[in-house]
């Protein structure tokens, strides 16, 4: 499998190291960078700009070849440099016939110093990591002038041995104490180990029809390479949304990644679910997003967790009574937080305080202001309480099971009374109850309730989803009605197609008895993603990839839809 470095970073399972390209926008020069994805997406995390140079120090042009196990910079003839992970925190670099130059733009108290004849230590306060360079062949040239507080620059050059023409270096990331690389494996052995690790991952990825095999490999690499090891606030192995720019985990994205892992890698799936419950506030709310060093509490994400857990319970025997006990109380607290803290008026229902709480950040449902009562939230809570009822029943807590079931049934009736006009669902301003005029797909999301919706409601929602000049396009469902005056091709949640909404609607359509329609939407999405890549979202009319081009929840939804719904 060959991967396009222009869109997809080079990394491996468990690593915070990333090799990726910059287009030269902003202050960064065009080219290849070694990055550190600790600390979230507020920074790009560049450690070094990497170049191949000749003996005269002039940059040498090269072509890139990339597979899951190695990144090769080919300068022609026998001149090349290859990067491979010896371990998640150890990057090996081997070059022949050419020098490798790594240049750091320093700040704060960043510095570098020679620690041994063939090694160096780099301390990046800016990126909150330290790095050890240890040469295995050739020499290391360090240029790090000291100004009394920091190094004004750090330039490390890997110089080939005069006899062999080769240079090889191990670059290790550490926080406190350098552990030293275990063993003395050859570079070839490191490549073979990574090939084996990736193949083992691929063997456990959901199988798909041959038509979508190429997309499966791409989705498999993106999900494998976006996992980071436990560190700081991350209590478990965690699948980031991307190692491009969106280097966090958001508290609904993780559900879709868990779902794709449920059959082939159930422990990792369970870890993805529990990451946020491990950091749950005493009130029950979950953080909006997590990374290794920060959790954001200014907003949250919608309570789709019950829907996702129910979906996984139906497809995996991993949810034993012991694991259900581990999940039950946190899920109940998360549900109760909405019921207690997000009701604005006695006659109203539960509300979002910002578009970000819904996951649909700038949806036109929120164009008139906040807080907003939206029918999707009530639908998710209905399903979450039903999941809690089933979990309680399996745990022998029959009285609690009945209580959750009754609350779910009551909320369904309240949802229909509050939001259903007889023709469509609406949202309301939470403070006044005033109906909100919007053309957002968000108002169609109660279809996730499937056959729990009354037949007349179900039929009209499905008809709305099928309507010409509505949301349906050649590639799936636009998030804003195509004819809307507020439709924007790259408008984030005001037009583009997204994976999570597609997954929720497809599942709801199937449960509503619209199996053929559900399969058709799944096929349209998978064709688009296989053609355009596993992007954050897509132009609804052209299918063109938008925003971050290597996203894990898109990859996970692709795998689920291609495996189960196509």
């Amino acid at each position: 499998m060959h991967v396009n470095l222009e869109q997809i970073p080079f990394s491996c399972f468990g690593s915070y190291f990333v090799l990726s390209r910059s287009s030269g926008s902003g202050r960064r020069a065009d080219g290849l960078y070694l990055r550190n994805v600790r600390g979230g997406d507020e920074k790009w995390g560049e450690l070094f700009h990497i170049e191949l140079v000749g003996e005269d120090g002039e940059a040498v042009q090269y072509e890139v070849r990339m597979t899951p196990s190695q990144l090769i910079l080919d300068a022609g003839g026998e001149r090349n440099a290859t990067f491979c992970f010896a371990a998640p925190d150890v990057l090996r670099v081997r070059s022949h016939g050419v020098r490798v130059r790594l240049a750091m733009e320093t700040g704060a108290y960043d510095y570098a110093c020679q620690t041994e004849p063939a090694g160096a230590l780099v301390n990046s306060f800016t990126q909150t990591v330290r790095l050890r360079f240890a040469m295995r062949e050739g020499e290391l040239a360090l240029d790090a002038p000291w100004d009394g507080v920091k190094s004004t620059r750090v330039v490390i050059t890997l110089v080939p041995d005069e006899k062999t023409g080769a240079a090889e270096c191990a670059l290790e990331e550490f926080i406190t104490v350098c552990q030293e690389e275990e063993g003395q494996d050859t570079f070839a052995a490191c490549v073979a180990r990574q090939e084996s690790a990736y193949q083992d991952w691929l063997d456990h990825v959901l199988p798909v029809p041959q038509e979508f095999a190429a997309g499966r490999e791409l989705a498999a690499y993106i999900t494998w390479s976006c996992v980071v090891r436990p560190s700081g606030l991350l209590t478990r192995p965690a699948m980031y949304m991307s190692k491009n720019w969106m280097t966090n985990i958001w508290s609904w994205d993780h559900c879709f990644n868990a779902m794709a892992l449920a059959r082939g890698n159930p422990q990792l799936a369970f870890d993805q679910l529990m990451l946020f419950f491990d950091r749950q506030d005493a009130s029950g709310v979950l953080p909006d997003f997590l990374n290794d060093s920060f959790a954001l509490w200014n907003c949250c994400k919608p309570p789709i967790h019950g829907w996702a857990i129910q979906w996984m319970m139906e497809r995996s025997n991993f949810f034993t009574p012991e694991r259900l006990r581990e999940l039950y109380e946190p899920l109940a607290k998360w549900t109760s937080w909405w019921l207690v803290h997000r009701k604005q008026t006695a006659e109203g229902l539960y509300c979002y305080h910002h578009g970000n709480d819904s996951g649909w950040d700038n949806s036109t449902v929120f164009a008139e202001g906040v807080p907003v009562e939206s029918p999707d939230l009530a639908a998710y809570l209905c399903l979450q309480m039903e999941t809690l009822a089933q979990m309680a029943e399996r745990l022998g807590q029959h009285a609690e099971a009945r209580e959750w079931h009754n609350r779910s049934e009551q909320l369904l009736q309240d949802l229909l009374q509050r939001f259903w006009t007889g023709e469509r669902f609406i949202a309301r301003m939470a403070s006044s109850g005033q109906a909100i005029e919007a053309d957002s797909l968000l108002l169609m999301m109660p279809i996730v309730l499937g056959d729990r919706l009354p037949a007349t409601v179900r039929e009209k929602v499905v008809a709305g989803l099928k309507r010409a000049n509505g949301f349906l396009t050649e590639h799936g469902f636009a998030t804003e009605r195509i004819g809307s005056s507020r439709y924007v091709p790259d408008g984030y949640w005001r037009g583009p197609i997204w994976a999570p909404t597609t997954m929720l609607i497809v599942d709801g359509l199937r449960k509503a008895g619209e199996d053929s329609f559900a399969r058709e939407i799944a096929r349209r999405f998978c064709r688009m993603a296989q053609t355009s890549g596993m992007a954050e979202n897509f132009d609804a009319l052209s299918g063109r990839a938008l925003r971050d081009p290597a996203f894990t929840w898109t990859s996970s939804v692709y795998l689920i839809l291609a495996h189960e719904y196509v």
Side-chain angles (χ1 to χ4, degrees):
M1 174 190 179
H2 291 278
V3 189
N4 182 3
L5 185 66
E6 296 294 327
Q7 298 179 330
I8 302 165
F10 179 69
S11 190
C12 80
F13 186 99
S15 184
Y16 289 89
F17 272 148
V18 176
L19 285 157
S20 59
R21 289 193 64 90
S22 168
S23 63
S25 59
R27 64 177 178 80
R28 301 181 197 94
D30 182 26
L32 179 66
Y33 285 81
L34 175 62
R35 296 168 46 228
N36 156 50
V37 294
R38 292 183 182 276
D41 62 358
E42 290 301 310
K43 56 183 183 178
W44 198 58
E46 67 266 36
L47 291 166
F48 293 99
H49 181 212
I50 300 173
E51 296 178 291
L52 302 188
V53 298
E55 292 184 6
D56 58 2
E58 292 297 313
V60 174
Q61 297 301 307
Y62 56 82
E63 293 184 354
V64 176
R65 299 197 306 276
M66 176 178 160
T67 70
S69 62
Q70 55 187 329
L71 176 66
I72 301 169
L73 312 182
D74 188 348
E78 296 186 359
R79 300 183 304 166
N80 57 70
T82 304
F83 298 81
C84 176
F85 285 91
D89 55 352
V90 180
L91 182 67
R92 291 275 282 270
V93 187
R94 182 168 179 81
S95 68
H96 191 276
V98 69
R99 300 182 179 196
V100 179
R101 182 166 66 200
L102 302 97
M104 172 187 283
E105 182 175 325
T106 58
Y109 300 100
D110 299 348
Y111 68 87
C113 58
Q114 203 94 26
T115 55
E116 50 192 282
L121 170 72
V122 177
N123 193 343
S124 175
F125 286 70
T126 309
Q127 300 301 332
T128 64
V129 295
R130 286 187 274 187
L131 306 163
R132 172 181 177 262
F133 286 77
M135 295 299 293
R136 293 172 170 272
E137 190 173 358
E139 297 180 359
L140 183 147
L142 174 64
D143 177 19
W146 178 251
D147 71 358
V149 177
K150 65 179 179 65
S151 297
T152 56
R153 64 177 178 272
V154 173
V155 180
I156 292 173
T157 306
L158 312 183
V159 182
D161 180 84
E162 290 185 2
K163 293 182 179 179
T164 65
E168 186 173 332
C169 181
L171 171 54
E172 180 179 353
E173 174 214 35
F174 67 100
I175 303 300
T176 55
V177 178
C178 183
Q179 300 298 315
E180 306 285 341
E181 187 184 352
E182 294 183 7
Q184 297 295 320
D185 287 345
T186 64
F187 193 89
C190 294
V191 172
R193 186 164 56 247
Q194 285 300 314
E195 287 177 349
S196 177
Y198 175 68
Q199 186 59 51
D200 181 63
W201 175 271
L202 186 60
D203 289 345
H204 290 84
V205 168
L206 290 170
V208 304
Q210 185 60 37
E211 175 186 357
F212 297 113
R216 175 181 182 264
E217 284 227 22
L218 178 59
Y221 173 73
I222 290 172
T223 51
W224 175 77
S225 64
C226 280
V227 176
V228 296
R229 64 189 182 280
S231 180
L233 295 181
L234 300 178
T235 54
R236 305 163 187 257
M239 188 179 290
Y240 273 10
M241 296 310 99
S242 173
K243 286 185 178 176
N244 267 327
W245 312 311
M246 305 294 277
T247 51
N248 298 311
I249 314 148
W250 277 265
S251 59
W252 67 320
D253 307 49
H254 70 122
C255 293
F256 298 94
N257 288 337
M259 290 163 66
L261 294 166
R263 282 192 173 96
N265 202 332
Q267 180 58 59
L268 187 60
F270 192 71
D271 288 338
Q272 301 320 293
L273 276 180
M274 294 305 297
L275 273 166
F276 281 85
F277 291 118
D278 289 347
R279 292 294 170 194
Q280 188 173 28
D281 183 69
S283 68
V285 70
L286 302 178
D288 179 47
F289 70 73
L290 279 175
N291 57 57
D292 64 300
S293 59
F294 184 73
L296 181 73
W297 297 95
N298 293 73
C299 52
C300 60
K301 286 293 176 279
I304 66 161
H305 301 75
W307 166 81
I309 291 166
Q310 177 62 45
W311 190 96
M312 295 167 69
M313 285 168 58
E314 292 171 356
R315 291 160 176 80
S316 173
N317 58 10
F318 192 74
F319 289 86
T320 61
E322 291 72 27
R323 293 190 180 90
L324 290 181
R325 285 190 192 94
E326 192 175 348
L327 263 174
Y328 178 74
E329 288 300 331
L331 187 65
K333 286 176 63 179
W334 172 222
T335 308
S336 296
W337 179 84
W338 286 96
L339 306 183
V340 172
H341 296 284
R342 283 301 178 89
K343 194 168 185 180
Q344 194 85 354
T345 62
E347 64 274 11
L349 285 183
Y350 312 106
C351 62
Y352 296 126
H353 281 185
H354 190 277
N356 287 5
D357 291 339
S358 74
W360 297 55
D361 307 0
N362 66 331
S363 164
T364 53
V365 168
F366 304 99
E368 297 179 22
V370 290
V372 166
E373 295 176 24
S374 184
D376 67 306
L377 175 55
Y380 299 146
L381 287 169
C382 279
L383 294 176
Q384 191 145 293
M385 288 191 282
E386 195 57 46
T387 297
L388 284 164
Q390 293 183 27
M391 294 169 74
E393 192 68 40
R394 286 181 59 180
L395 293 172
Q397 297 168 213
H398 305 300
E400 287 192 29
R402 285 193 297 274
E403 182 179 353
W404 284 119
H405 176 74
N406 291 339
R407 293 175 82 172
S408 176
E409 289 296 314
Q410 182 60 55
L411 182 54
L412 177 58
Q413 297 310 310
D414 293 343
L415 181 161
L416 293 168
Q417 183 176 357
R418 184 73 170 167
F419 300 121
W420 182 249
T421 68
E423 295 296 326
R424 60 192 176 93
F425 283 107
I426 60 168
R428 295 185 182 275
M429 298 300 297
S431 56
S432 65
Q434 179 182 350
I436 296 171
E437 294 297 325
D439 288 313
S440 174
L441 184 67
L442 184 61
L443 299 177
M444 310 294 277
M445 295 310 293
I447 192 62
V448 73
L449 289 163
D451 59 6
R452 295 191 65 191
L453 288 174
T456 53
V457 175
R458 213 162 55 224
E459 289 165 4
K460 289 183 178 181
V461 174
V462 171
L465 289 170
K466 291 181 177 179
R467 186 172 296 129
N469 300 316
F471 300 103
L472 185 61
T473 76
E474 178 186 349
H475 309 289
F477 294 119
T479 45
E480 180 78 3
R481 185 175 59 82
I482 298 299
S484 166
S485 62
R486 293 185 284 196
Y487 174 87
V488 181
D490 187 10
Y492 221 51
W493 291 95
R494 294 189 176 193
I497 292 171
W498 288 77
T501 54
T502 301
M503 179 70 233
L504 286 158
I505 292 176
V506 165
D507 185 60
L509 287 171
R510 173 180 276 186
K511 290 175 180 173
E514 292 285 336
D515 190 68
S516 177
F517 188 31
R519 289 179 183 276
E520 177 57 28
I521 298 304
R523 184 174 294 279
R524 291 185 189 192
F525 180 87
C526 289
R527 283 175 175 163
M528 173 184 67
Q530 178 159 259
T531 300
S532 299
M534 305 298 158
E536 185 178 357
N537 52 56
F538 304 86
D539 185 305
L541 296 178
S542 71
R544 179 174 62 91
L546 301 173
R547 308 297 174 119
D548 194 315
F551 227 64
T552 55
W553 74 353
T554 306
S555 302
S556 291
V557 167
Y558 174 91
L559 292 168
I560 295 167
L561 294 181
H563 171 75
E564 181 158 334
Y565 295 87
V566 171

